[in-house]
Amino acid sequence: MSFDAEWAELKAALSDRQTAMRLNQVGSGGGGEGPQGDLELDHQDLAAVGDAAFKLRRRLGTDGDHAKASTHEAAGSLKQGFDLGAALSTVADTWHAQVGTLQDACAHISHHLASTQKAHAGDEHWLVTRFKYAQLDKGFEEGAQH
């Protein structure tokens, strides 16, 4: 495959990817005129968000269920003769499940951003290499014409 064909294929793939990521409208809640164009992030932005998600996941693991044991103990004590005990137990179980869901979401964000960073680094390396070869080919072609 020639460089021109590869370049056209790459441009089409990037165009499809950018179109999928573009925000097409602002909700009716407001907004305002802002800069137009594609979302731009650098590796530091991705790393910072991924790191924050990782730290939040870890904090949820230690602090999210801080009162779990005492809540279940209170629920057990209140179950004898009170409806409040069963309700408190249900609340504690629901809270625990929701903390787990948040932890899973944070892990997903952290892992996704890490893999995105690696993928974009690989794409960038491929592009730089292809441009270097294109310049080399152009130099050879110009040299052959002289």
Side-chain angles (χ1 to χ4, degrees):
M1 183 182 294
S2 73
F3 175 76
D4 291 334
E6 285 182 29
W7 178 244
E9 185 177 314
L10 175 64
K11 282 180 19 179
L14 288 174
S15 176
D16 291 344
R17 184 184 289 174
Q18 288 174 350
T19 302
M21 294 176 62
R22 193 172 294 136
L23 178 65
N24 292 325
Q25 65 186 22
V26 175
S28 60
E33 292 299 318
Q36 300 295 317
D38 293 329
L39 175 66
E40 291 186 29
L41 295 172
D42 62 23
H43 293 285
Q44 290 177 335
D45 293 331
L46 292 175
V49 173
D51 187 53
F54 176 78
K55 288 177 181 176
L56 179 58
R57 181 185 184 278
R58 192 170 48 200
R59 289 286 312 267
L60 283 168
T62 57
D63 298 340
D65 280 336
H66 191 66
K68 181 179 179 182
S70 58
T71 303
H72 278 292
E73 184 180 333
S77 297
L78 292 171
K79 280 184 181 178
Q80 298 170 0
F82 296 101
D83 290 338
L84 182 60
L88 187 56
S89 183
T90 300
V91 167
D93 292 341
T94 302
W95 175 262
H96 177 71
Q98 289 179 345
V99 166
T101 300
L102 286 172
Q103 283 182 292
D104 292 345
C106 288
H108 177 75
I109 291 167
S110 179
H111 294 305
H112 178 73
L113 290 176
S115 64
T116 298
Q117 218 173 348
K118 288 177 188 175
H120 284 288
D123 291 346
E124 188 172 331
H125 174 74
W126 185 85
L127 284 170
V128 167
T129 303
R130 296 306 301 163
F131 286 131
K132 285 180 182 177
Y133 285 133
Q135 289 300 320
L136 185 62
D137 287 345
K138 184 178 176 183
F140 283 132
E141 290 171 6
E142 288 174 0
Q145 292 175 0
H146 295 289

